[in-house]
Amino acid sequence: MIPADLQMNLTGSMALKWDPKNLEIRTRSVEKTLEPLVIQVTTLVNTKGPSKKKKGRSKRAHVLVAAVEKATDNFIEKGEQIAYENPDIKQEMLSAVDEVRKTGDAMSIAAREFADDPCSSLKRGNMVRAARNLLSAVTRLLILADMVDVHLLLKSLQLVEGDLEKVKNASSQSELLDTFRQFGRNAVDLIQQAAKRQAELKDPRLRDDLAAARAVLKKHSMMLLTASKAYVRHPELAAAKANRDYVYKQVCEAVNTIADVAQGKALGGVALPYDGPGELAAALDDFDERIIMDPLTYNEVRTRPSLEERLESIISGAALMADSSCTRDERRERIVAECNAVRQALQDLLSEYMANVGKNKPADSLDKAIENMCRKTRDLRRQLRKAVVDHVSDSFLETNVPLLVLIEAAKNGNEKEVEEYAQVFTEHASKLVEVANLACSMSNNDDGVKMVRFAASQIENLCPQVINAARILAARPRSKVAQENMDVFKEAWENQVRILTEAVDDITTIDDFLAVSENHILEDVNKCVLALQEGDADTLDRTAGAIRGRSARVCNVVTAEMDNYEPGIYTERVLEAVAVLRDQVMPNFAQRVEVAVEALGTQPQRDVDENEFIDASRLVYDGVREIRRAVLMNRTDEELDPDEVLLDEQGTYDTRSKSSAHTEHDEYPDISGINNTRDAMRFMAKEDKEKILQQVEIFRSEKSKFDREVAKWDDTGNDIIVLAKHMCMIMMEMTDFTRGRGPLKTTMDVINAAKKISEAGTKLDKLARQIADQVSLVLFAEHALFFHSGVARNCVFKSENSNLVAVNSAYDCERWLFVA
């Protein structure tokens, strides 16, 4: 294990063995120390005869020569000092110092001769050669001095290796503890010296390798102690030996890595499997680049098959993701639809390229086809990202449950159950790794992908050892060392899962995570209500646990995301929404679940207030939706999903107002890239958009007042508040339509939405009159009727003019398209 540059002699000291011709600078300190001398020599060499400037405006050559001589003397003095302080490399250092002294003297003579006659090309050439020799000699001296640090680090490493061998061969608990104390002290010293070396290294990859090795050494030290104690105490158990050997191997590999990196050796000499972006994301990026070309370079024979082949490869990857077990049916259908849309868009684009071959100026239809192609690939990316987050949301939920069940079986000494739960635990770990790799496939974040892959590999390696620790405990449930060993491996597993979770969160966007989490919570809420209605206490309890887990994940992820922003109104609003969900809504939901499960668990079953439970469940969903709404407040229209409205995707559970049966037919079949009036809105002239935006801002101002007023009232059982919110949601859909997004797509959708507002306003008027009839104070009743009669008139006006408003909007869009 001793490095090639440092070898042991018979006395046990380290002898230096290095190549004087190797001038590779590996550390920042050498580079920084050498830099002033290089600047001085370069300035001297570049001197071009007597200065024409006034005295005092520039350095003369003699001044530069003196500076070089002084710097050389300093190098010689420091080199001799290092040589006498380190006997192991004294001879090598003194030889390097002598070389610097000789080349320095030669440089001084040549430089002074050149300074006296700067116009002589012969003297300039002599000085340049002397300067090169001096710089080479100084560089060798600095590299050798730098190797002193490596020498000290490897001496510390040698001590750790000796300690590891003693720990491995310990045969009693007392011997093990004594040797481990010495190992601990030497390991701490090695970690500190490795940290200093890491800070000095220039190569970022070597720095990363050294940092990883230090982390492994630090993290596995306690595991080595407990695993070794368990093996020494129970040598008859194969699982105990497997545990100890695994940790011992990890520590030895870390020590080897430190030794290799200290000498600048590349690990393995090839790229690690963790490097590189996600395969599917890279393929999509490459495809997006290739579809844009000069029509003159398009070749039907070569270009078409090449692009079609690349697209089919992407679609094959998308199909694998769609067919995965955790992909929702609706998501699968959307992925298939987007794949078909991308296929069609490519064919349209290739046809346009064919039509524009040989033309001096490409037609506008080609630009539209390219834009449509890019939009379709962007839509496919969105669905694939959300499919990934579907998996992440399901798999990284209650990640500690399989572990806790396994440990509980081990504590009870039930070896049969341990083997059964070990299978469950293995499947759980495999699923985490599978989903992590799936997340990597759709990420362009190279560093993030590398972190996820590395963390996933650690999970794979650690999984069987956690099971071995459980087997040891199951075989010796009363053994203290077995329990300690299990606790250490449990902590290591939980830390590694946390690291993997955070790494996966870093390469998935929070927008996708919140959209998917909101939908999953909605599914679980509906399952909870159904379980309550069917009297299924187990399903109710299990699903409610999933809701609590998902909500906690949302709070944690969003809170971590806000750490990336400067504190302000935006972060305050988001964190306030998180606090409401975590501190108010979830405790209330947990209480309702506990009451319901307890009632359903009795014989005979007691009645449960279903309305209260539904309200508590709905508040959870509303809380998550409000967090998502707050997070997306700083997004631009381009950053939002164009099919989303009120910050949701599914259009269920009052998130969309269900204002109309949203039509899907193409209103503009003759115009590429525009299928309906909503699409056309996105292409309106800037002046028209600004006019619409002014009206929208007025509406938003009124809506803010409405929100503040409604917040004062509990909408539980309050039909007026519910209707008012419903009408506001429809109006939000209509304002989104004017900005080219939201669920309303066609002119008929807008007409139907306006009719819904009219119908809701009629209901609101009717309710207000009923309340007024019951009020004893006549003055208040008259005031209420007067107010709500105004609401009724406005709603009738809205209904009667909805057709005109929608038709005018459609006319404006068509007029703009015709002009364009």
Side-chain angles (χ1 to χ4, degrees):
M1 198 179 293
I2 301 299
D5 288 354
L6 292 162
Q7 295 183 348
M8 288 283 292
N9 60 26
L10 296 176
T11 62
S13 62
M14 281 192 174
L16 189 67
K17 186 178 181 181
W18 70 298
D19 182 7
K21 296 180 181 180
N22 184 4
L23 297 181
E24 180 187 1
I25 298 176
R26 297 171 181 167
T27 60
R28 294 190 178 99
S29 58
V30 172
E31 194 175 60
K32 188 175 181 180
T33 305
L34 192 61
E35 183 179 2
L37 180 61
V38 172
I39 293 174
Q40 291 167 353
V41 171
T42 302
T43 305
L44 181 59
V45 170
N46 291 335
T47 301
K48 298 179 180 179
S51 174
K52 296 180 181 179
K53 296 182 179 181
K54 296 179 180 180
K55 291 184 178 181
R57 295 293 181 86
S58 63
K59 289 186 176 181
R60 291 180 301 174
H62 288 286
V63 176
L64 291 171
V65 172
V68 171
E69 290 174 343
K70 183 177 180 181
T72 304
D73 291 339
N74 287 336
F75 282 123
I76 292 172
E77 181 182 349
K78 293 293 183 181
E80 289 177 342
Q81 182 180 347
I82 293 173
Y84 290 115
E85 289 177 353
N86 297 273
D88 291 340
I89 61 168
K90 179 179 177 182
Q91 292 302 120
E92 290 80 1
M93 282 294 297
L94 289 178
S95 297
V97 168
D98 288 341
E99 183 67 19
V100 171
R101 184 180 288 110
K102 291 177 183 178
T103 56
D105 292 342
M107 174 65 185
S108 178
I109 295 172
R112 290 188 179 280
E113 290 178 352
F114 171 71
D116 293 336
D117 187 9
C119 295
S120 171
S121 58
L122 177 63
K123 293 178 180 179
R124 176 186 291 275
N126 291 336
M127 188 191 67
V128 169
R129 284 189 291 273
R132 288 174 179 169
N133 292 334
L134 174 61
L135 289 176
S136 296
V138 172
T139 301
R140 290 190 188 94
L141 176 64
L142 291 174
I143 291 175
L144 188 57
D146 180 65
M147 290 185 67
V148 172
D149 293 335
V150 178
H151 175 70
L152 295 175
L153 187 151
L154 293 175
K155 285 181 70 174
S156 177
L157 184 143
Q158 183 186 5
L159 294 176
V160 170
E161 287 176 345
D163 295 336
L164 282 173
E165 193 65 24
K166 292 178 182 178
V167 169
K168 181 180 179 182
N169 296 326
S171 57
S172 66
Q173 294 287 344
S174 58
E175 181 184 358
L176 174 64
L177 292 175
D178 290 340
T179 56
F180 197 84
R181 289 191 191 95
Q182 186 63 38
F183 165 77
R185 287 192 291 268
N186 291 331
V188 168
D189 182 60
L190 175 61
I191 291 172
Q192 291 175 347
Q193 292 195 44
K196 293 178 182 178
R197 187 66 184 173
Q198 178 186 333
E200 287 289 327
L201 288 172
K202 290 172 55 183
D203 190 334
R205 180 164 176 174
L206 291 178
R207 288 202 303 270
D208 291 345
D209 291 337
L210 193 53
R214 289 175 50 235
V216 169
L217 184 58
K218 185 175 181 180
K219 181 173 65 175
H220 284 71
S221 293
M222 186 54 63
M223 292 176 66
L224 179 62
L225 175 61
T226 58
S228 298
K229 286 170 67 177
Y231 175 64
V232 170
R233 180 67 180 83
H234 306 292
E236 72 281 3
L237 298 178
K241 186 177 187 303
N243 257 179
R244 197 282 308 271
D245 289 349
Y246 163 78
V247 182
Y248 180 78
K249 181 182 178 182
Q250 294 289 311
V251 173
C252 287
E253 287 179 353
V255 171
N256 281 333
T257 299
I258 293 174
D260 290 341
V261 171
Q263 300 171 96
K265 294 181 181 179
L267 301 183
V270 294
L272 293 174
Y274 315 127
D275 294 338
E279 301 82 3
L280 199 50
L284 281 164
D285 288 342
D286 181 65
F287 181 77
D288 283 343
E289 291 178 3
R290 290 177 182 272
I291 60 175
I292 301 175
M293 67 187 82
D294 188 339
L296 297 176
T297 64
Y298 178 78
N299 184 292
E300 180 72 9
V301 177
R302 292 195 304 269
T303 309
R304 180 181 290 272
S306 175
L307 289 176
E308 288 178 344
E309 182 180 353
R310 291 178 184 278
L311 179 58
E312 290 306 316
S313 176
I314 291 171
I315 290 176
S316 295
L320 289 175
M321 192 178 297
D323 292 337
S324 183
S325 58
C326 285
T327 303
R328 303 298 204 274
D329 291 339
E330 184 178 357
R331 185 74 62 205
R332 184 179 297 110
E333 292 172 1
R334 289 193 176 195
I335 291 175
V336 171
E338 295 298 347
C339 288
N340 292 333
V342 170
R343 277 198 186 104
Q344 184 59 50
L346 177 61
Q347 295 304 316
D348 294 342
L349 177 61
L350 295 178
S351 298
E352 287 294 336
Y353 274 125
M354 271 294 293
N356 283 271
V357 171
K359 292 184 179 180
N360 294 330
K361 183 179 180 181
D364 292 340
S365 57
L366 177 59
D367 292 336
K368 292 180 180 179
I370 293 174
E371 184 178 349
N372 184 52
M373 182 77 249
C374 293
R375 184 166 61 250
K376 294 304 180 184
T377 56
R378 189 165 58 246
D379 292 342
L380 177 59
R381 282 177 190 267
R382 183 186 303 116
Q383 295 305 325
L384 292 176
R385 288 200 316 267
K386 289 187 176 180
V388 167
V389 181
D390 275 336
H391 290 256
V392 173
S393 179
D394 288 335
S395 300
F396 285 83
L397 184 66
E398 298 179 341
T399 53
N400 63 335
V401 172
L403 175 64
L404 297 178
V405 173
L406 177 66
I407 293 175
E408 190 62 28
K411 286 181 178 179
N412 295 331
N414 193 329
E415 295 186 59
K416 182 179 179 181
E417 279 192 3
V418 165
E419 294 303 320
E420 292 175 356
Y421 290 131
Q423 182 64 31
V424 175
F425 182 74
T426 302
E427 293 174 357
H428 167 66
S430 299
K431 188 63 179 177
L432 291 180
V433 173
E434 177 189 349
V435 172
N437 290 328
L438 202 62
C440 290
S441 69
M442 278 305 297
S443 176
N444 293 316
N445 183 346
D446 287 7
D447 292 338
V449 167
K450 181 178 180 180
M451 184 64 189
V452 172
R453 287 172 176 164
F454 180 75
S457 70
Q458 294 294 306
I459 288 286
E460 284 184 301
N461 295 333
L462 190 57
C463 173
Q465 302 311 318
V466 173
I467 294 173
N468 282 332
R471 287 169 177 159
I472 298 170
L473 183 58
R476 303 291 185 271
R478 296 184 180 180
S479 171
K480 184 178 178 181
V481 293
Q483 181 63 59
E484 290 177 354
N485 186 55
M486 184 75 258
D487 291 341
V488 169
F489 274 92
K490 173 179 178 288
E491 183 180 1
W493 174 263
E494 290 174 339
N495 287 338
Q496 198 59 51
V497 170
R498 177 180 51 78
I499 291 171
L500 179 62
T501 303
E502 292 175 354
V504 169
D505 288 342
D506 284 341
I507 64 172
T508 54
T509 68
I510 191 170
D511 296 4
D512 292 335
F513 171 76
L514 290 176
V516 169
S517 296
E518 183 178 322
N519 295 329
H520 289 183
I521 287 175
L522 176 58
E523 291 176 4
D524 291 338
V525 164
N526 291 333
K527 288 179 183 177
C528 263
V529 174
L530 183 61
L532 176 65
Q533 293 171 345
E534 294 177 350
D536 188 345
D538 291 338
T539 301
L540 175 62
D541 191 26
R542 184 171 61 254
T543 310
I547 292 175
R548 289 194 294 269
R550 293 188 196 279
S551 300
R553 273 273 288 157
V554 167
C555 293
N556 294 336
V557 169
V558 172
T559 301
E561 176 71 11
M562 288 303 105
D563 291 338
N564 299 325
Y565 293 86
E566 289 290 337
I569 297 176
Y570 172 69
T571 56
E572 288 175 3
R573 181 169 180 179
V574 172
L575 294 176
E576 181 182 351
V578 169
V580 169
L581 177 63
R582 183 182 57 226
D583 302 333
Q584 300 177 24
V585 175
M586 291 313 300
N588 177 56
F589 175 73
Q591 182 181 2
R592 296 298 179 189
V593 170
E594 182 179 356
V595 171
V597 171
E598 183 180 348
L600 295 178
T602 59
Q603 291 297 334
Q605 291 184 349
R606 299 198 307 269
D607 291 336
V608 180
D609 191 329
E610 187 174 314
N611 289 332
E612 286 188 356
F613 184 86
I614 292 175
D615 287 340
S617 302
R618 181 181 55 77
L619 287 174
V620 175
Y621 174 72
D622 288 346
V624 173
R625 185 180 60 179
E626 187 58 34
I627 290 175
R628 184 177 172 220
R629 188 197 306 271
V631 168
L632 298 184
M633 283 299 293
N634 70 339
R635 305 297 194 265
T636 63
D637 287 349
E638 289 74 18
E639 292 174 319
L640 293 174
D641 186 340
D643 288 333
E644 290 179 349
V645 64
L646 289 179
L647 314 180
D648 192 10
E649 167 192 348
Q650 297 295 337
T652 53
Y653 204 74
D654 288 336
T655 302
R656 281 185 182 167
S657 62
K658 305 174 188 175
S659 60
S660 62
H662 305 139
T663 54
E664 298 294 339
H665 70 272
D666 192 346
E667 290 187 295
Y668 303 97
D670 297 329
I671 302 176
S672 176
I674 299 179
N675 299 322
N676 48 55
T677 309
R678 186 194 68 181
D679 291 342
M681 288 287 186
R682 291 203 295 267
F683 295 98
M684 290 182 68
K686 185 178 180 181
E687 296 78 11
D688 294 333
K689 285 185 176 181
E690 289 177 353
K691 292 178 183 178
I692 293 176
L693 186 60
Q694 291 175 0
Q695 300 300 318
V696 171
E697 287 304 318
I698 295 174
F699 170 75
R700 287 189 178 278
S701 176
E702 293 300 321
K703 181 181 178 296
S704 298
K705 297 177 183 178
F706 168 80
D707 288 338
R708 287 195 295 269
E709 183 64 28
V710 168
K712 302 175 183 178
W713 305 92
D714 181 10
D715 61 351
T716 304
N718 192 327
D719 293 336
I720 289 182
I721 298 298
V722 172
L723 274 173
K725 285 185 175 181
H726 178 62
M727 295 169 68
C728 185
M729 287 178 183
I730 300 175
M731 285 300 299
M732 285 296 294
E733 288 183 351
M734 297 177 76
T735 56
D736 284 338
F737 171 82
T738 63
R739 292 184 293 160
R741 62 187 183 89
L744 306 180
K745 298 181 179 180
T746 66
T747 306
M748 187 54 65
D749 288 345
V750 179
I751 293 173
N752 290 335
K755 289 180 179 179
K756 288 289 184 179
I757 291 182
S758 176
E759 293 171 1
T762 302
K763 292 180 182 178
L764 186 63
D765 178 67
K766 183 178 179 181
L767 281 172
R769 290 183 179 279
Q770 291 175 356
I771 295 173
D773 291 340
Q774 299 173 10
V775 175
S776 58
L777 297 175
V778 177
L779 182 60
F780 177 78
E782 290 178 351
H783 178 73
L785 286 175
F786 174 78
F787 173 76
H788 286 289
S789 64
V791 172
R793 286 195 302 273
N794 286 333
C795 290
V796 170
F797 176 80
K798 175 67 73 176
S799 177
E800 291 176 347
N801 287 278
S802 59
N803 292 2
L804 180 60
V805 170
V807 170
N808 283 340
S809 297
Y811 171 76
D812 289 340
C813 291
E814 290 174 353
R815 176 174 53 82
W816 177 83
L817 290 171
F818 177 76
V819 173

